[in-house]
């Protein structure tokens, strides 16, 4: 059976992302693999330096709630269809209406 992402991680991400999401962001998800948090952002267009920095600050705020972990940030541009997957298992914390 597949496990859902820890609710504490999801709530930490949602708190950290308040005010950090720009209109180009389509999807944000978080996952914990052993002691590494994977912070994934899918954007519709290239993000500016300021937009990337706001998301990196949010990632650092998430990490501060999990001091025994490291974090890996993934920011990609993709305007294709969003993959269908279990949002709880894959740690979705934000999905833009499209």
């Amino acid at each position: 059976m597949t496990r859902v992402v820890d609710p504490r991680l999801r709530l930490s991400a949602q708190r950290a992302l308040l005010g950090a999401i720009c209109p180009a962001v389509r999807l944000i998800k978080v996952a914990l693999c052993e002691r590494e948090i994977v912070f994934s952002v899918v954007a519709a267009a290239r993000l500016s330096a300021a937009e990337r920095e706001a998301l990196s600050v949010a990632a650092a705020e998430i990490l501060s709630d999990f001091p025994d972990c490291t974090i890996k940030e993934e920011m990609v541009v993709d305007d294709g269809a969003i993959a269908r997957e279990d949002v709880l298992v894959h740690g979705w914390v934000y999905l833009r209406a499209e």
Side-chain angles (χ1 to χ4, degrees):
M1 179 174 188
T2 308
R3 295 177 40 190
V4 300
V5 169
D6 184 338
R8 294 175 306 139
L9 177 57
R10 292 168 53 90
L11 288 172
S12 173
Q14 289 175 332
R15 176 199 47 81
L17 287 164
L18 288 173
I21 301 171
C22 67
V25 173
R26 301 179 68 206
L27 172 69
I28 300 175
K29 51 187 177 177
V30 292
L32 184 59
C33 301
E34 300 202 9
R35 290 184 175 223
E36 180 179 62
I37 297 168
V38 180
F39 178 78
S40 304
V41 177
V42 177
R46 188 169 186 269
L47 300 175
S48 71
E51 292 166 336
R52 292 176 69 83
E53 179 67 18
L55 292 167
S56 287
V57 168
E61 289 178 16
I62 296 166
L63 184 60
S64 73
D65 290 336
F66 298 87
D68 295 338
C69 296
T70 60
I71 195 159
K72 177 174 130 181
E73 297 178 35
E74 300 174 341
M75 295 187 199
V76 299
V77 175
D78 186 351
D79 61 356
I82 298 289
R84 300 267 185 208
E85 57 188 13
D86 185 323
V87 299
L88 295 177
V89 170
H90 294 317
W92 291 27
V93 293
Y94 174 80
L95 176 64
R96 179 177 81 178
E98 297 185 349

